[in-house]
């Protein structure tokens, strides 16, 4: 039910990006639907986690290519992938 979104604008506040992601993924023309949660994780680079109420919506989102977030006249092409709870080796922080 959760997708990971990359390609977010790093120069904008996370709450504004989260609002724009919510609007984008609620729209049926983008394959979207009801959203349970949107989180923007600070980068670099920032990424977003969008959790939908229904798994079918996440599947529709993943099938659609060319998601573009339009903010203030700028267009940000998004990379949308399935989010799994396990961290990949390059995401594990070794302090």
């Amino acid at each position: 039910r959760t997708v990971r979104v990359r390609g977010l604008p790093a120069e904008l506040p996370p709450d504004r990006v989260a609002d724009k992601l919510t609007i984008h993924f609620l729209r049926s023309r983008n394959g979207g639907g009801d959203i349970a949660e949107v989180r923007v994780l600070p980068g670099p680079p920032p990424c977003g986690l969008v959790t939908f109420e229904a798994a079918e919506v996440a599947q529709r989102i993943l099938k659609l290519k060319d998601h573009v977030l339009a903010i203030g006249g700028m267009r940000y092409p998004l990379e949308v992938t399935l989010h799994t709870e396990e961290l990949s080796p390059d995401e594990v922080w070794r302090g």
Side-chain angles (χ1 to χ4, degrees):
R1 295 184 329 146
T2 301
V3 296
R4 177 183 295 262
V5 184
R6 292 186 173 91
L8 302 176
E11 67 276 9
L12 294 176
D15 57 340
R16 178 146 186 240
V17 175
D19 289 346
K20 294 293 186 178
L21 284 176
T22 301
I23 293 166
H24 178 83
F25 288 116
L26 276 173
R27 288 193 176 131
S28 57
R29 73 167 189 231
N30 295 329
D34 291 336
I35 294 173
E37 182 184 27
V38 174
R39 287 189 319 179
V40 174
L41 307 175
C47 73
L49 297 178
V50 181
T51 303
F52 296 94
E53 296 286 349
E56 308 85 69
V57 177
Q59 293 305 315
R60 276 200 317 262
I61 292 287
L62 291 168
K63 284 182 185 147
L64 277 179
K65 301 299 179 205
D66 300 328
H67 287 283
V68 176
L69 200 60
I71 303 176
M74 297 292 293
R75 295 171 60 78
Y76 301 92
L78 302 177
E79 176 192 341
V80 182
T81 56
L82 186 63
H83 174 65
T84 54
E85 294 304 319
E86 303 81 42
L87 291 176
S88 65
D90 60 324
E91 290 178 305
V92 176
W93 184 73
R94 293 179 179 88

